Amino acid sequence: GDSVTQMEGPVTLSEEAFLTINCTYTATGYPSLFWYVQYPGEGLQLLLKATKADDKGSNKGFEATYRKETTSFHLEKGSVQVSDSAVYFCALMQGGSEKLVFGKGTKLTVNP
Amino acid sequence: NAGVMQNPRHLVRRRGQEARLRCSPMKGHSHVYWYRQLPEEGLKFMVYLQKENIIDESGMPKERFSAEFPKEGPSILRIQQVVRGDSAAYFCASSPRDRNNQPQHFGDGTRLSIL
């Protein structure tokens, strides 16, 4: 079945550091790919998405590019802030399906 | 513009009791999804509903769990005879479904604790 693998956390960075959170997927066909963010005690918020190969999703300084050849959708940000501290989930959705398949999440802590 | 509303935010039940979790989708959204998040895990799909119809329940445990989305009122996830292993955060999401693969908008979840 379809699956998503994220890098193990937790990740701890200093403010203004560069962030990469790796995400790879296993799926048939051409799924849509998503990054969601979960702040403490809250639900998931859509951060960005990409629906086809080579698409780049971006939002709030975060970016991720849909790489079909490496089945990856790594999340990057050039300069993190304390307010970026949260858990980040990579997810996929197959065309014709309404199920989101999530990775286990990566907890990010940004220190001042 | 209210988002997805879930209640209660926290629910405590003793083993053997029933738990009812409610979800009101965003205005204009006709599709509801339920996910379960176990501690230190990602979210796992449970069920997908439209008004008065269960579309996909492939992630629902075979026993004790049921879901509905009536014509009027919120969607309900019902867990009968709860056990300790049911302790988790249950998230509801909704989407408008006017096109394929619309992003799902999540509520803040119900955290269920079983004593």
Side-chain angles (χ1 to χ4, degrees):
Chain A
D2 298 342
S3 65
V4 175
T5 302
Q6 289 181 236
M7 65 185 286
E8 294 280 331
V11 174
T12 302
L13 296 173
S14 297
E15 208 164 21
E16 299 183 3
F18 183 85
L19 168 71
T20 300
I21 300 178
N22 289 339
C23 170
T24 57
Y25 66 90
T26 302
T28 56
Y30 303 93
S32 294
L33 301 174
F34 304 84
W35 277 99
Y36 280 85
V37 58
Q38 184 180 31
Y39 298 101
E42 297 184 10
L44 277 69
Q45 301 175 25
L46 178 65
L47 183 58
L48 52 85
K49 68 171 185 175
T51 57
K52 62 183 187 297
D54 300 325
D55 267 3
K56 178 186 281 188
S58 61
N59 185 26
K60 299 181 182 178
F62 291 90
E63 293 184 339
T65 301
Y66 190 142
R67 300 284 187 205
K68 189 175 186 305
E69 63 276 14
T70 55
T71 61
S72 65
F73 194 54
H74 304 321
L75 182 68
E76 296 182 337
K77 187 174 185 182
S79 176
V80 293
Q81 305 300 313
V82 172
S83 57
D84 294 327
S85 298
V87 180
Y88 291 82
F89 292 95
C90 185
L92 68 81
M93 183 188 292
Q94 285 283 15
S97 166
E98 297 295 319
K99 282 187 252 193
L100 280 165
V101 177
F102 286 92
K104 289 190 174 182
T106 303
K107 183 175 181 179
L108 170 66
T109 301
V110 180
N111 295 319
Chain B
N1 198 11
V4 177
M5 303 299 292
Q6 289 189 249
N7 68 82
R9 288 294 304 275
H10 301 275
L11 182 61
V12 180
R13 285 287 178 266
R14 297 189 180 280
R15 282 178 293 171
Q17 292 184 321
E18 179 179 288
R20 281 183 180 240
L21 288 62
R22 295 174 189 78
C23 169
S24 296
M26 284 182 70
K27 187 176 181 180
H29 287 192
S30 57
H31 297 247
V32 165
Y33 315 82
W34 285 93
Y35 293 82
R36 177 165 63 176
Q37 184 180 32
L38 294 170
E40 308 299 324
E41 294 283 330
L43 280 72
K44 302 288 188 190
F45 170 82
M46 298 181 76
V47 63
Y48 161 38
L49 309 104
Q50 299 174 21
K51 287 281 187 182
E52 299 184 283
N53 279 310
I54 296 174
I55 307 302
D56 183 348
E57 57 181 346
S58 58
M60 288 281 270
K62 293 289 186 285
E63 297 177 348
R64 302 187 297 108
F65 284 71
S66 62
E68 62 176 7
F69 189 15
K71 188 176 180 181
E72 301 290 337
S75 175
I76 306 288
L77 179 68
R78 182 182 178 207
I79 311 172
Q80 295 178 288
Q81 299 175 334
V82 296
V83 300
R84 287 250 170 89
D86 297 333
S87 294
Y90 292 82
F91 289 95
C92 172
S94 71
S95 73
R97 193 58 169 93
D98 53 352
R99 297 197 302 276
N100 286 339
N101 298 139
Q102 283 293 296
Q104 295 175 13
H105 299 262
F106 284 79
D108 286 344
T110 293
R111 281 145 184 88
L112 175 64
S113 299
I114 308 302
L115 300 180

